[in-house]
């Protein structure tokens, strides 16, 4: 008897719990990173549907509440629901444009009920499609996943740049030296904190940077406290506050397309996160994650929320901090629920000026792109046409970012997919990988890019390599870091 813990008894970092204070602050850091992304869609959809400022604020609280529920479904899970990874869910941006179009088509009285009815149907459909959709995981080898992860990071960077300028391009101070200066200062603060701090403080460098940036922004004059004075202490998102759901065929078709786009992006995000935390996402994990996405989406309209999907910005936070515990993100989900029930608490989080958030966002989103590049390094780029696959997929995926109006003459229904560089780049990478590495010349050659003629993705140069030892056997310290092994 050595007294040492057997490999089978050791917890994977994903399943570890941290001390309460570390759990709370790390969870709060996730909320701070995603808060603007959660409240932005209702801020756009609300006015488009004719809501007043008060009703739009109610919609924002409902989005926080439902994002918390969806995050708990994803991180804790039950039965076959949930990826059980540190995976944050929130309102998907993919649905904003279709929902605005639905709102304008049906007028202020029926807009939200029609939107909610379409979201419910899309969520239920996605829930039943999830087991079949998850089988697509074999079409996501490193040459595909690395491309998609890189596109996720690059696609998010314009969001950070917009925040750094102020977030509202119609505001007179948009892009002012004050806003950009605060973003640059926060960016430097985060880098310095990451460099000089150690242990847990280094892991919450983003949160500390946001706090420092917000405090500095007070005398500068870009931190506003009016939201706190106007917020009520308690505010529950009354079920079907805007009326019973209505079911319109055109709206349902539109939101079902959005749901498929969200499922594609979530699949890519789960594969990215699985690699980062050292627990590769297999078919069962993706099936559970998609079920959590779609169930959360189907339940959200009950509490006046919209379609939920993965928040890629939080993947960057996991990659940067190396805190891989799913219970940390579950704590963030609980905080989101509290914020949804307590508008005053939500308004405190909203004190963080967007330029400050933008400065930190550059580091976060850049970390995602760096993870994608790291994955591409294992994709046998020197073999076959893998470099061509990456070049074509990244090129197509960058179109909505570099030229936002590129597709403006195409039918609006197609824009749901085409306006998402992540989705288009993912589809191009999958199709080209099949064409070059599985069919025709690439599949026939013994020295094909995949390095095998058996079709086994694990053995392929572009396949998902199995770790040399089970991830569950990696000993960790109390903060979720590997004790004697390099971070994944």
């Amino acid at each position: 008897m050595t007294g040492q813990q057997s490999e089978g008894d050791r917890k994977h970092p994903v399943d570890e719990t941290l001390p309460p204070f570390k759990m709370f602050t790390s969870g709060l850091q996730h909320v701070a990173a995603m808060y603007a992304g959660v409240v932005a869609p209702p801020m756009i959809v609300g006015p488009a549907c004719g809501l007043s400022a008060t009703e739009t604020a109610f919609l924002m609280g409902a989005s926080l509440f439902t994002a918390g529920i969806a995050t708990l479904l994803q991180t804790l899970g039950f039965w076959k629901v949930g990826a059980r990874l540190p995976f944050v869910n929130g309102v998907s941006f993919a649905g904003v444009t279709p929902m605005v179009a639905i709102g304008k088509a049906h007028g202020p009285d029926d807009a939200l009920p029609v939107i909610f009815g379409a979201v419910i149907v899309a969520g239920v459909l996605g829930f039943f499609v999830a087991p079949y959709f998850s089988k697509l995981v074999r079409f996501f080898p490193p040459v595909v996943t690395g491309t998609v992860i890189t596109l996720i990071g690059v696609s998010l960077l314009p969001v950070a740049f917009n925040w750094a300028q102020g977030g509202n391009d119609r505001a007179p101070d948009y892009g002012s030296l004050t806003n950009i200066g605060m973003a640059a200062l926060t960016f430097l603060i985060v880098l310095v904190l990451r460099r000089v701090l150690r242990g847990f403080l280094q892991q919450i460098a983003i949160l500390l940077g946001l706090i420092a940036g917000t405090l500095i922004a007070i005398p500068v004059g870009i931190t506003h406290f009016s939201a706190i004075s106007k917020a009520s202490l308690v505010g529950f998102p009354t079920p079907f506050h805007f009326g019973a759901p209505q079911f319109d065929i055109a709206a349902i078709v539109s939101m079902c397309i959005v749901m498929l786009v969200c499922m594609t992006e979530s699949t890519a995000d789960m594969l990215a996160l699985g690699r980062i935390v050292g627990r590769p996402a297999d078919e069962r994990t993706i099936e559970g994650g998609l079920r959590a996405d779609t169930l959360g989406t189907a339940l959200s309209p009950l509490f006046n929320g919209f379609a939920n999907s993965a928040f890629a910005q939080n993947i960057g936070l996991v990659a940067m901090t190396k805190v891989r515990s799913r219970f940390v993100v579950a704590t963030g989900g609980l905080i989101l629920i509290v914020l949804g029930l307590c508008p005053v608490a939500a308004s405190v989080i909203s004190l963080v000026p967007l330029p400050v958030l933008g400065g930190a966002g550059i580091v976060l989103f850049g970390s995602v792109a760096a993870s994608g590049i790291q994955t591409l390094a294992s994709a046998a780029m020197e073999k076959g046409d893998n470099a061509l696959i990456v070049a074509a997929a990244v090129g197509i995926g960058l179109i909505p970012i570099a030229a936002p109006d590129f597709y403006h003459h195409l039918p609006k229904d197609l824009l749901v997919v085409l306006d998402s560089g992540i989705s288009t780049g993912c589809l191009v990478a999958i199709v080209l990988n099949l064409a070059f590495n599985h069919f025709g010349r690439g599949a026939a050659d013994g020295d094909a890019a995949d390095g095998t003629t058996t079709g086994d993705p694990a053995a392929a140069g572009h396949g998902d390599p199995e770790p040399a030892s089970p991830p569950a056997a990696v000993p960790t310290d109390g903060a979720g870091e590997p004790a004697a092994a390099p971070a994944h």
Side-chain angles (χ1 to χ4, degrees), residues 174-217:
Y174 184 75
S176 66
L177 289 177
T178 300
N179 288 343
I180 294 177
M182 281 305 310
L185 180 60
T186 305
F187 176 79
L188 290 174
I189 290 173
V190 171
L191 293 182
V192 170
L193 292 176
R194 285 288 299 177
R195 181 66 182 86
V196 303
L197 297 178
R198 293 291 181 270
F200 175 67
L201 290 178
Q202 186 185 60
Q203 293 168 352
I204 61 169
I206 292 291
L207 180 61
L208 296 177
L210 291 175
I211 293 173
T214 302
L215 292 175
I216 295 172

Side-chain angles (χ1 to χ4, degrees), residues 313-462:
Q313 51 261 54
N314 293 80
I315 297 176
L317 189 58
V318 174
M320 181 177 170
T321 64
K322 305 296 191 298
V323 178
R324 294 177 276 175
S325 171
R326 61 191 173 101
F327 297 105
V328 163
V329 176
T331 302
L334 290 173
I335 294 173
L336 286 170
I337 291 175
V338 172
L339 295 179
L341 297 175
C342 182
V344 168
S347 63
V348 172
I349 298 292
S350 68
L351 287 178
V352 180
L354 283 179
V356 171
L357 195 59
I362 293 173
V363 181
L364 287 178
F365 306 158
S367 297
V368 179
S371 297
I373 295 170
Q374 186 177 11
T375 301
L376 286 174
S378 66
M381 296 289 287
E382 75 284 358
K383 293 184 178 181
D385 296 301
N386 281 349
L388 180 61
I389 294 171
V390 175
V394 170
I396 296 297
L398 287 177
I399 288 176
I401 303 168
D405 297 327
F406 188 85
Y407 299 114
H408 72 282
H409 281 306
L410 297 180
K412 290 185 178 180
D413 291 341
L414 291 177
L415 298 183
V416 176
V417 177
L418 295 176
D419 278 345
S420 170
I422 298 171
S423 297
T424 53
C426 179
L427 292 173
V428 170
I430 290 173
V431 171
L432 293 183
N433 179 61
L434 288 173
F436 291 146
N437 290 331
H438 291 272
F439 300 121
R441 176 175 57 81
D445 293 343
D447 189 27
D450 61 2
T452 179
T453 57
T454 64
D456 179 9
H462 64 284

Side-chain angles (χ1 to χ4, degrees), residues 132-199:
Y132 307 99
F133 201 93
S134 64
K135 296 183 185 300
L136 298 177
V137 67
R138 64 179 179 272
F139 300 121
F140 286 84
V143 70
V144 175
T145 56
T147 300
V148 175
I149 296 167
T150 303
L151 278 172
I152 290 171
V154 174
S155 297
L156 287 170
L157 282 171
V159 176
F161 301 152
N162 181 49
W163 289 346
Q165 295 176 86
N168 182 5
D169 59 3
R170 289 174 292 183
D173 64 342
Y174 184 75
S176 66
L177 289 177
T178 300
N179 288 343
I180 294 177
M182 281 305 310
L185 180 60
T186 305
F187 176 79
L188 290 174
I189 290 173
V190 171
L191 293 182
V192 170
L193 292 176
R194 285 288 299 177
R195 181 66 182 86
V196 303
L197 297 178
R198 293 291 181 270

